[in-house]
Amino acid sequence: MSELTYMLLKFGFLALMWVFVFGVVYALRSDLFGQQVRRVVARAREEQMAARATATAPASTPVGGPRRGSAPPALSFDEEPGSTQQTPPRRLVITDGPKAGLELELPEEELTIGRSAESGLVIRDDFTSSRHARLLHWPTGWVIQDLDSTNGTFLDGARVHAPTPVPLRTPITIGTTTFELRG
Amino acid sequence: MPRSTETPARGVSALTGAIVVRLRKPARLRNLEAPFLLGAILVVAAAVALVELGTGAPFDPSLSWQLLGLGGLVVVVHVVLRVVAPEADPFVVPIAVLLGGIGIAQIHRIDIAEGLTGWDAAATRQVVWTAIAIVLAIATLIVVRNHRTLSRYRYLAMLVALILLVLPMLPGIGKEVNGARLWVEVGPMSFQPGEFAKVALAVFFAGYLVTARDSLSMVGRRFLGMRLPRARDLGPILIVFAASMLVLVVQRDLGTALLYFGLFLGMLYVATGRLSWVVLGVVLFVGGALVASRLLPYVGNRFAAWLDPFNPDFIEGQSYQLVQGLYGFAAGGTFGTGLGRGRPDITPLAGSDFIMASLGEELGLVGLFAILALLLLFVGRAFRIGFSGGDDFGRLLAVGLGFAFALQVFVVVGGVTRVIPLTGLTTPFLAAGGSSLVANWIIVALLLRLSDGVRRGPRIVIESATGDQPRLVVGA
């Protein structure tokens, strides 16, 4: 084997190592350089834009990493062009209480709410039961179900007894926290 | 749209959509991990091939077969992760595999230079230890299904850590190697319990600080712009300080002492956000180290060799190893001599304590920085897992493990490059040494478990029980 070949292999190996390093960094870019700032108002405006954009270019997704940057592709059926219905709820926004302003994306099937750490939305105040309520994604839409909580779950001021459909932007109150579903 | 009724049509599409999500989404991170694992194995294969080519030694296929087996074990890890922790971080395992593989290649290269084969070869033993470490990591992943259970065993973890610290000091099983009493020898097996103590201590500190941090950070007198803790809250920090000084004095190991104490201070700072603790701790440690350097000849020698390594009185003695390592770095230059083409074996312990010098000589500055970048990425993942963790124990544990890892790298690389006095810690994943490998793979398993918990855990935690400001915010 000639010296030249070994030289090339040596530099090739160094390059290979750096390719790996930059591969990891590239895959992590959203973690390293931060994600889009999500604010309630900005998000709403952005989504209107996105809804318009998906009509022309369905493949375009917002900048983001593999962890949670882009919107789940499976949810795109909700934005089928031509759907006359109102946009289905995709996130839960906390409108009142100690964490007002926070929002989280709704999971696919159900979101449990309560004091226990296993809940999807953990609310630890003096009025919340450990398994307080849950939001269920029924074929007809999202419903709220009270799980026999001590202090109750209130949809638009009325106590929930049976699974009740949750319209968009209708306040649900649990303890000191109020949230609503938004598109 | 020719839909007769809107609702049922939408319902059907929502239902099928949900099914598609369930099938595809859990594997997303694992599918990201697979190509990186493959890439890591490829780089390791290239490194071993380059070592064989560079040294020109007659090809011995045994290591290749062993590495093939190890590659199979890595695939097993990947498959196990798909089952028990599908949402775990996808970069931790590939980085660990790559670092470990480069370490094995370099150890193999030094074996060739020293003419060691078979079971005498350090590379063979390293491969076996890696296999054991990976199996134990898999076992950890399977046994620890929820990291919160660990917090229940925090005082047990403290006890285990203290026993592990004391073990090398016991007569009969304790063994002194190169002046430091870090080893335990049981029959043919010898290991460094200090490496495992690191993990146990991180678990204990995380569990302890979650409960104790409020009294640590809120109460106390203000003095010179800092809030000084109460005397009764000072207890634990003094105990840990005493333990690490005991390590320093009895085991004569500055590096391990620095590691334990640094781990505690780092986690204390993360838990309380009080700089005064760190200042206090650093002052205590620097003071203790200075006193030790005056009183203990072993530490004093290390300081002298660090400050003046090229002194003719030292260069054949206490600073020989350090100076040979520095010459190795210099011989490597920017791009290195190439794997197998340098003389890293001149440095004593070139495969273990001085593996960074060996790698620096043969891969050069460019290669060494690639390795440091990988170590940095690993630490970054640990911090990221801690940052997005759902519960305080998990956050503290991830950050503590990451910080201990980073501190260990700093102490080793700083020692070899003469930034700080040389100490006897091992470079994580790279250096020859079974205990270190096992401990670090257990750290990998814990980080995987924590990151899986992060993705599955609560999205938002709202706390308003006692009226104080809520601590936990948005998770992943």
Side-chain angles (χ1 to χ4, degrees):
Chain A
M1 184 187 60
S2 73
E3 273 308 299
L4 182 67
T5 324
Y6 184 78
M7 254 326 237
L8 290 177
L9 287 175
K10 177 182 120 181
F11 283 107
F13 179 70
L14 291 178
L16 200 62
M17 277 172 73
W18 279 105
V19 165
F20 186 90
V21 171
F22 279 110
V24 174
V25 171
Y26 180 75
L28 284 177
R29 62 197 181 281
S30 68
D31 266 8
L32 292 174
F33 303 112
Q35 282 157 346
Q36 283 178 313
V37 179
R38 293 198 213 168
R39 295 200 188 282
V40 176
V41 184
R43 258 296 285 271
R45 203 177 298 141
E46 175 194 305
E47 262 162 24
Q48 284 173 357
M49 302 278 286
R52 238 172 275 149
T54 42
T56 51
S60 73
T61 45
V63 185
R67 281 181 70 107
R68 56 172 166 168
S70 54
L75 283 177
S76 60
F77 68 84
D78 287 337
E79 292 184 320
E80 277 172 16
S83 166
T84 49
Q85 222 189 10
Q86 217 180 358
T87 47
R90 296 206 310 189
R91 63 215 159 87
L92 181 154
V93 182
I94 295 167
T95 51
D96 194 25
K99 280 285 158 73
L102 269 183
E103 61 172 86
L104 89 163
E105 273 177 39
L106 285 172
E108 279 84 31
E109 288 172 347
E110 74 162 58
L111 177 73
T112 52
I113 304 163
R115 184 192 275 279
S116 80
E118 283 75 37
S119 309
L121 173 61
V122 181
I123 303 178
R124 293 203 183 110
D125 58 22
D126 295 342
F127 313 101
T128 314
S129 306
S130 60
R131 293 180 72 248
H132 195 105
R134 60 182 173 177
L135 279 165
L136 296 163
H137 195 184
W138 283 8
T140 50
W142 285 91
V143 294
I144 181 94
Q145 182 189 18
D146 187 81
L147 299 169
D148 280 338
S149 64
T150 314
N151 291 306
T153 305
F154 298 88
L155 178 66
D156 209 7
R159 186 157 181 168
V160 175
H161 294 288
T164 314
V166 183
L168 276 181
R169 294 176 181 271
T170 311
I172 300 171
T173 304
I174 290 174
T176 53
T177 301
T178 303
F179 55 86
E180 58 186 51
L181 304 186
R182 290 188 187 172
Chain B
M1 274 247 154
R3 279 184 189 160
S4 50
T5 49
E6 199 72 41
T7 321
R10 259 193 46 74
V12 168
S13 90
L15 204 62
T16 49
I19 290 169
V20 171
V21 169
R22 251 210 287 178
L23 287 178
R24 273 171 51 203
K25 205 184 169 193
R28 205 164 49 103
L29 292 172
R30 299 275 71 78
N31 290 346
L32 186 64
E33 181 182 67
F36 280 107
L37 268 183
L38 216 63
I41 291 172
L42 191 77
V43 178
V44 171
V48 175
L50 215 56
V51 164
E52 300 285 351
L53 285 174
T55 51
F59 179 64
D60 178 13
S62 62
L63 185 78
S64 310
W65 287 115
Q66 292 163 11
L67 284 176
L68 209 62
L70 219 50
L73 208 53
V74 169
V75 174
V76 171
V77 173
H78 180 71
V79 173
V80 167
L81 278 179
R82 277 184 185 268
V83 179
V84 300
E87 299 286 302
D89 189 274
F91 304 106
V92 173
V93 177
I95 293 173
V97 167
L98 180 50
L99 288 172
I102 289 175
I104 290 173
Q106 189 64 23
I107 293 163
H108 176 55
R109 186 257 168 280
I110 290 157
D111 285 339
I112 290 175
E114 292 178 348
L116 298 171
T117 50
W119 281 103
D120 291 334
T124 312
R125 272 177 281 144
Q126 185 79 347
V127 168
V128 173
W129 273 115
T130 309
I132 294 172
I134 292 179
V135 169
L136 285 176
I138 293 174
T140 310
L141 267 173
I142 293 174
V143 172
V144 184
R145 279 308 177 87
N146 185 344
H147 63 267
R148 289 184 202 99
T149 51
L150 284 177
S151 73
R152 267 181 244 151
Y153 300 115
R154 56 182 180 273
Y155 291 109
L156 190 67
M158 180 188 72
L159 195 68
V160 169
L162 286 180
I163 290 173
L164 287 172
L165 280 180
V166 174
L167 269 184
M169 302 179 202
L170 296 179
I173 54 170
K175 193 175 75 162
E176 192 165 314
V177 178
N178 302 325
R181 203 175 172 91
L182 287 176
W183 293 80
V184 165
E185 208 171 32
V186 184
M189 297 265 290
S190 66
F191 66 100
Q192 273 179 299
E195 290 284 343
F196 303 103
K198 178 177 73 178
V199 182
L201 275 179
V203 172
F204 164 62
F205 289 159
Y208 164 73
L209 287 170
V210 164
T211 52
R213 63 172 183 184
D214 284 344
S215 63
L216 289 175
S217 64
M218 299 300 175
V219 196
R221 269 196 320 247
R222 293 189 73 79
F223 177 70
L224 287 177
M226 295 190 313
R227 191 182 291 277
L228 288 181
R230 289 182 305 183
R232 76 175 92 157
D233 296 329
L234 214 61
I237 195 173
L238 287 179
I239 290 172
V240 178
F241 171 73
S244 54
M245 283 298 139
L246 194 71
V247 170
L248 181 63
V249 174
V250 182
Q251 304 187 352
R252 293 184 229 157
D253 188 46
L254 190 64
T256 312
L258 180 61
L259 181 65
Y260 295 153
F261 200 58
L263 171 66
F264 184 62
L265 281 187
M267 291 180 76
L268 196 63
Y269 177 64
V270 172
T272 63
R274 297 272 168 216
L275 210 56
S276 51
W277 283 106
V278 179
V279 173
L280 194 73
V282 169
V283 168
L284 272 176
F285 188 83
V286 170
L290 282 179
V291 169
S293 72
R294 289 288 159 85
L295 296 182
L296 302 170
Y298 173 79
V299 181
N301 277 346
R302 287 284 164 101
F303 267 79
W306 167 55
L307 292 173
D308 192 11
F310 296 99
N311 187 327
D313 296 338
F314 300 160
I315 204 156
E316 289 298 323
Q318 48 195 303
S319 73
Y320 177 78
Q321 191 184 22
L322 180 61
V323 168
Q324 293 310 317
L326 291 176
Y327 283 150
F329 281 120
T334 310
F335 294 105
T337 56
L339 281 171
R341 293 289 170 102
R343 293 294 312 278
D345 51 298
I346 295 174
T347 317
L349 296 179
S352 53
D353 286 10
F354 270 67
I355 190 127
M356 281 314 239
S358 312
L359 289 166
E361 179 172 352
E362 301 214 317
L363 297 175
L365 191 72
V366 174
L368 201 65
F369 268 77
I371 289 168
L372 289 177
L374 288 169
L375 290 165
L376 181 69
L377 283 172
F378 188 88
V379 174
R381 289 326 290 161
F383 282 1
R384 176 72 212 183
I385 290 164
F387 181 65
S388 52
D391 63 307
D392 288 5
F393 174 75
R395 295 169 152 219
L396 269 176
L397 184 58
V399 171
L401 291 173
F403 183 74
F405 190 93
L407 188 64
Q408 188 164 354
V409 172
F410 171 75
V411 169
V412 176
V413 179
V416 171
T417 53
R418 212 167 74 81
V419 174
I420 57 170
L422 183 64
T423 57
L425 284 180
T426 51
T427 321
F429 295 121
L430 291 161
S435 330
S436 166
L437 267 179
V438 172
N440 284 310
W441 272 96
I442 287 176
I443 289 179
V444 167
L446 289 178
L447 287 178
L448 289 170
R449 178 48 72 209
L450 286 167
S451 57
D452 187 53
V454 166
R455 300 287 297 173
R456 295 174 160 201
R459 311 290 185 81
I460 291 186
V461 177
I462 298 172
E463 278 198 283
S464 60
T466 49
D468 57 0
Q469 75 271 44
R471 288 193 298 260
L472 292 167
V473 278
V474 194

